[in-house]
Amino acid sequence: MVSETVSVQYKPDGVALITFSSPPVNALSVNLRRLLALNIANVVADRRAKAIVLCGGNGTFSAGADVSEFPEKLGKSENLITLDTEPFQSLLESSPKPTVACLSGTALGGGLELALACHLRVAVPDVKLGLPELKLGLIPGLGGTQRLPRLIGVEPALDMMIHSRIIDGTEALKCGLVDRLVPVSSHEALLAEASALALEVVADPRKKPPALLTRTDRLGHMDIQEIRAKYLPRAVEIRQRTGQIQFESCVRAVVEGVQCGGGHAGWQLEATLFRQCAASDASHALIHVFLASRKTVTGFKPEPHIHEPQNVAVVGGGLMGSGIAACILLHGGRVVLKEVNDGALAAALSRIEAIVSRSNSSFEDIKKRIEGTTEYDRRLFGQVDLVIEAAVENVQAKQEIFRALAECTGPHCILATNTSTINLDLIGETIATVHQQGRLVGAHFFSPAHVMPLLEIVRAKRTSVRAINVVLALAKRIRKTPIVVGNCAGFAVNRMYFPQTQVAFFLAERLGVHPYVIDRACEELIGLPMGPFRLADLVGLDICESVNRVFSMSYPERVCSGTMLTKMMEMGRKGQKTGAGFYKYSTDRKKRMEDSEALDPILASLAPSGARESLSPPELAQMILFPVANEAMRVLEEHIAEKSSDLDVASVLGYGFPAYRGGLLYWAQNIAGGPGLILERFDGMELAFWGSVPALRTFVRSAASGSERKLAPRASVTPPFGAWQGGRHCLRGGCSDPNWEGRSRIAQRYAS
Ligand SMILES: NC(=O)c1ccc[n+]([C@@H]2O[C@H](COP(=O)([O-])OP(=O)(O)OC[C@H]3O[C@@H](n4cnc5c(N)ncnc54)[C@H](O)[C@@H]3O)[C@@H](O)[C@H]2O)c1
């Protein structure tokens, strides 16, 4: 049960210390805000208090509003903000007694807005301060768009809000966000400094700053037209392209608030725009991903006594291994790196150096924590807590590696593989005893491993609980979001995405659709960071081919065989790492260019009839993604993944599916036009190799029975699928009903 408390301590020197608490991060729930308002009002009226110091319990100020309340509360109460939050902020700001906020831990979102309502702020150096509401499709709604510009200036404030930038105490002191910094992060020192500052103002009331909402001295001589020109066009472009209105709303609230000549008027506008943002599809989707990403391992209870692995060996320092090693090193771990020979080892080390240098860390320092080897050296491997294998995607090669690892590592050491597809039980066959097989676990990183925030942890038949826990502990250390999944070819994430490449290659090879057209449809309409062909180039076409082989063995009825990959490989075009794949790359691999001159003859040789299918970009995008949603449903049916929200998180963090669409299944169900429409379109595709779609029918049933949250029928602000909702774009007999109720009826039909 959450315990929300507000306590007041009257000190002999006249300082009233108000401490609010809601473990673990003092989230400002509606209830806590009410309690705060009550206590602040009492203290302001109490003669014993000459000054007020406001501080959070649990070693932190506040991480902001309680986001878990958002989907329920927002929209239900139109006046939520003005009704229950304005009073306590106004009470602090208009108090005749000086109010000082003590900032430690985090003061984010509503937490920082609460601090901004105080007259003064004192912080510790490592505090995290920011207004990151835009990440959730919202804008600050407790006066932040008005007070922050009046405290630090319009441009710095807009930059902080638009980029959801978090700053520390030292930077906050420089820009004027805090008034004093205590030299060390000590709670006692912070309280003492805040009390001293409050009493200085009591002694000399001229030191009390005017209420921020009425202040203009820090607004500077900015030209409002310049501010508009700098921020609005991009914000409008984002709204038009993605349906996210928070960027434009934030700029308007700041600009209009400043122009109106008063923070109070600006705050009214902020409240209106906040409510509009909170009602937007994009905000619902972003909050869904935010909440879902915090409960990805609810089905697996982490063991508290497991320590984060300090010494990790990485076998294979190619694209993935070097990224994994760099990631561990950047988070303070030690790495033993094994490669096949000295040349490969040197190349791996220079890849790691490049990654480390790009992150502004010193490679000289980090170098001391890497030990390179080309042997399974017991002296080195005997000391590691965890091995992550990232060698070639080949069953026999991996079996050999794990046979050697089982012998050269200690019995406590966990053996993880970064295989993208291979069934772990196959890899484990060469590990001698059942007991030893308990050490084997999947630790599947996504490329680039040092950047992508997802870590898929795979539990094979014999994987021990301890093995999962050690990898969970690593995930925590290197700040990855883990999902724990079952074992099958491709596991949960690559398995659900394997149809994406299948369909893309099918479209290019059999229907003559140009790869660049497919990539553009996925990138520009859906907002994927890269289309399937760019992704194949990044992963490496050789790896794609191996992956294809694994899927062909495991799901033969759903695999489309072709020769395009082989032809590309024969021409030495293995993707970005060889300088050419479906695209060509500059020698430093940084610049990607289309390469029709080389690609078109290959495509022509694949579709001899030369017949080009004319599919619209929205049709292409749905043909690529609906089969992915279908496979995701199979993954859930087979209990490979625990819940659909885990797959949403995986699609966002592992494959870059836009968070503002809520993840793949959320998008398919809530935004793309409803499940009935999906099924109808899917049946209409008549993909010869695809077979039936049982999982999608289950999906339709669950949606029609209301077991998943659906958005109210309304004109969607997300553009991509508006275009094909009319019958004009029907594809081969699959006819879509432009009317939402009609689509609902289809869903009901399948549900009955
Ligand atoms: N490329 C991706 O996007 C991606 C994503 C997730 C997982 N994976 C998986 O990660 C693994 C590695 O993929 P990659 O893209 O880094 O391949 P890569 O070809 O870039 O690197 C493989 C490296 O392993 C080394 N190697 C081979 N056998 C070895 C051995 N016995 N001991 C030590 N080193 C050995 C090779 O010399 C090479 O440097 C594969 O299993 C792949 O499926 C790849």
Side-chain angles (χ1 to χ4, degrees):
M1 207 178 93
V2 179
S3 56
E4 292 165 330
T5 56
V6 176
S7 68
V8 181
Q9 199 185 350
Y10 291 94
K11 304 262 177 113
D13 57 9
V15 170
L17 176 64
I18 303 180
T19 308
F20 60 97
S21 168
S22 172
V25 292
N26 303 332
L28 293 168
S29 66
V30 172
N31 187 43
L32 187 60
R33 298 204 297 254
R34 287 202 177 110
L35 278 175
L36 260 172
L38 197 73
N39 281 280
I40 293 166
N42 286 343
V43 175
V44 170
D46 195 312
R47 285 220 204 127
R48 284 175 293 174
K50 289 191 221 150
I52 300 169
V53 169
L54 183 65
C55 123
N58 317 301
T60 185
F61 193 70
S62 168
D66 185 351
V67 181
S68 65
E69 290 186 335
F70 279 22
E72 264 179 74
K73 301 264 166 34
L74 290 175
K76 270 192 189 171
S77 168
E78 270 274 290
N79 295 319
L80 184 75
I81 305 153
T82 42
L83 278 183
D84 77 12
T85 60
E86 195 168 356
F88 81 78
Q89 299 224 333
S90 303
L91 280 169
L92 284 168
E93 196 162 58
S94 61
S95 158
K97 302 167 181 179
T99 54
V100 182
C102 288
L103 303 178
S104 60
T106 57
L108 299 174
L112 182 58
E113 290 179 287
L114 173 60
L116 287 172
C118 293
H119 299 127
L120 295 155
R121 284 147 295 278
V122 178
V124 294
D126 62 358
V127 67
K128 291 193 181 103
L129 306 169
L131 293 178
E133 286 88 343
L134 274 73
K135 267 193 192 166
L136 296 181
L138 303 167
I139 59 170
L142 304 178
T145 64
Q146 304 308 308
R147 289 195 180 94
L148 191 63
R150 287 177 163 78
L151 187 59
I152 66 170
V154 175
E155 281 204 63
L158 268 171
D159 279 334
M160 250 180 102
M161 290 186 279
I162 282 175
H163 302 296
S164 293
R165 208 158 72 78
I166 309 294
I167 63 172
D168 65 13
T170 311
E171 195 179 342
L173 184 69
K174 270 193 213 138
C175 71
L177 178 48
V178 301
D179 301 279
R180 278 192 195 168
L181 201 62
V182 292
V184 284
S185 291
S186 134
H187 185 63
E188 287 69 32
L190 184 63
L191 282 184
E193 188 64 45
S195 301
L197 180 60
L199 290 172
E200 273 176 39
V201 177
V202 173
D204 181 359
R206 284 170 305 174
K207 288 187 177 170
K208 184 175 163 215
L212 256 184
L213 277 186
T214 57
R215 228 168 129 171
T216 53
D217 58 307
R218 292 191 183 170
L219 287 176
H221 298 291
M222 43 98 225
D223 177 344
I224 211 73
Q225 290 311 328
E226 255 175 47
I227 298 284
R228 272 179 194 279
K230 182 168 174 190
Y231 293 98
L232 261 187
R234 172 104 179 97
V236 169
E237 184 272 321
I238 291 175
R239 168 174 57 74
Q240 288 168 343
R241 183 169 45 82
T242 71
Q244 296 181 87
I245 58 174
Q246 69 272 29
F247 298 95
E248 189 181 348
S249 302
C250 182
V251 178
R252 288 199 193 287
V254 171
V255 167
E256 297 300 322
V258 171
Q259 264 187 335
C260 285
H264 288 286
W267 194 356
Q268 291 303 319
L269 180 67
E270 177 194 276
T272 307
L273 295 173
F274 176 88
R275 279 194 290 272
Q276 283 172 11
C277 288
S280 69
D281 286 349
S283 176
H284 289 217
L286 286 162
I287 289 172
H288 164 75
V289 174
F290 176 82
L291 293 175
S293 66
R294 270 150 186 76
K295 51 179 190 187
T296 51
V297 282
T298 47
F300 197 91
K301 208 166 180 304
E303 287 178 15
H305 61 271
I306 300 270
H307 296 298
E308 291 167 359
Q310 297 291 330
N311 300 314
V312 181
V314 176
V315 176
L319 178 72
M320 293 305 291
S322 53
I324 295 168
C327 191
I328 294 167
L329 290 162
L330 286 167
H331 288 91
R334 305 185 72 84
V335 169
V336 170
L337 180 67
K338 175 175 183 303
E339 256 296 348
V340 282
N341 54 42
D342 289 340
L345 186 59
L349 289 172
S350 63
R351 271 191 287 273
I352 294 172
E353 181 172 2
I355 297 171
V356 169
S357 336
R358 279 201 296 274
S359 72
N360 292 332
S361 302
S362 148
F363 187 64
E364 283 309 303
D365 294 343
I366 280 177
K367 210 161 69 177
K368 296 175 198 141
R369 287 186 274 117
I370 319 177
E371 187 115 30
T373 179
T374 55
E375 304 293 331
Y376 293 106
D377 184 339
R378 274 177 199 272
R379 182 185 58 89
L380 294 172
F381 278 87
Q383 291 176 13
V384 298
D385 316 307
L386 170 68
V387 181
I388 301 173
E389 170 275 323
V392 282
E393 188 74 345
N394 173 292
V395 180
Q396 284 77 31
K398 290 201 192 285
Q399 285 179 333
E400 276 307 308
I401 290 171
F402 278 93
R403 190 204 313 270
L405 286 174
E407 282 169 17
C408 70
T409 52
H412 70 287
C413 176
I414 300 305
L415 306 176
T417 171
N418 179 48
T419 174
S420 354
T421 48
I422 305 171
N423 189 317
L424 261 62
D425 294 330
L426 273 180
I427 298 175
E429 273 175 7
T430 49
I431 300 181
T433 65
V434 170
H435 169 68
Q436 285 212 340
Q437 285 174 11
R439 295 159 64 191
L440 182 66
V441 60
H444 180 212
F445 290 77
F446 291 76
S447 180
H450 57 290
V451 175
M452 296 302 278
L454 185 70
L455 179 56
E456 186 179 28
I457 303 177
V458 187
R459 188 178 199 175
K461 209 161 45 197
R462 298 210 168 86
T463 302
S464 67
V465 172
R466 190 172 160 270
I468 303 270
N469 271 304
V470 168
V471 184
L472 277 173
L474 175 79
K476 192 170 169 204
R477 177 179 193 128
I478 61 177
R479 308 231 175 93
K480 302 278 182 201
T481 301
I483 59 165
V484 180
V485 304
N487 182 28
C488 67
F491 320 120
V493 187
N494 280 349
R495 155 100 184 259
M496 82 170 167
Y497 265 96
F498 99 85
Q500 174 170 300
T501 323
Q502 293 293 313
V503 180
F505 284 20
F506 171 86
L507 289 169
E509 198 161 345
R510 306 282 177 83
L511 304 189
V513 186
H514 202 288
Y516 301 156
V517 173
I518 296 173
D519 275 0
R520 274 198 292 269
C522 293
E523 290 160 19
E524 289 166 16
L525 286 175
I526 301 293
L528 300 187
M530 56 184 81
F533 294 95
R534 266 179 78 186
L535 184 64
D537 270 4
L538 178 73
V539 170
L541 301 195
D542 49 341
I543 297 280
C544 286
E545 203 179 41
S546 315
V547 166
N548 231 359
R549 224 173 292 132
V550 175
F551 284 129
S552 307
M553 281 194 296
S554 307
Y555 317 111
E557 73 288 0
R558 302 203 291 285
V559 169
C560 167
S561 56
T563 54
M564 182 164 63
L565 258 188
T566 320
K567 290 208 170 174
M568 301 283 293
M569 302 271 288
E570 278 167 7
M571 296 178 72
R573 302 179 76 93
K574 288 190 186 173
Q576 200 163 336
K577 61 186 167 191
T578 57
F582 290 100
Y583 297 83
K584 62 182 175 189
Y585 300 86
S586 56
T587 30
D588 60 2
R589 311 278 187 266
K590 283 186 182 153
K591 201 162 164 238
R592 176 184 54 90
M593 293 149 283
E594 294 194 350
D595 191 10
S596 297
E597 209 176 304
L599 195 59
D600 288 356
I602 303 176
L603 296 172
S605 73
L606 296 169
S609 69
R612 304 255 160 195
E613 285 290 327
S614 62
L615 294 162
S616 68
E619 283 169 338
L620 290 173
Q622 51 179 290
M623 284 184 82
I624 298 285
L625 285 170
F626 288 173
V628 181
N630 187 50
E631 194 65 22
M633 290 312 302
R634 278 188 225 267
V635 164
L636 287 172
E637 271 190 347
E638 292 171 21
H639 303 289
I640 299 296
E642 197 197 336
K643 46 194 186 304
S644 64
S645 61
D646 287 353
L647 297 183
D648 282 332
V649 172
S651 68
V652 171
L653 302 185
Y655 270 80
F657 193 89
Y660 61 83
R661 296 196 194 285
L664 178 79
L665 286 171
Y666 180 96
W667 161 79
Q669 198 160 37
N670 287 315
I671 295 178
L677 182 62
I678 295 171
L679 188 58
E680 202 172 317
R681 302 292 298 177
F682 204 101
D683 279 348
M685 286 178 190
E686 292 169 6
L687 296 182
F689 65 93
W690 205 258
S692 62
V693 285
L696 201 63
R697 286 181 205 287
T698 315
F699 177 48
V700 168
R701 267 185 231 116
S702 75
S705 67
S707 63
E708 298 265 358
R709 190 174 70 88
K710 280 185 289 190
L711 300 181
R714 62 166 170 266
S716 173
V717 286
T718 38
F721 289 88
W724 54 261
Q725 287 185 1
R728 195 168 61 83
H729 290 292
C730 287
L731 179 66
R732 300 206 189 99
C735 182
S736 55
D737 187 337
N739 148 313
W740 196 91
E741 283 75 20
R743 296 198 294 276
S744 277
R745 278 199 303 280
I746 299 168
Q748 279 155 19
R749 199 176 75 224
Y750 282 104
S752 58

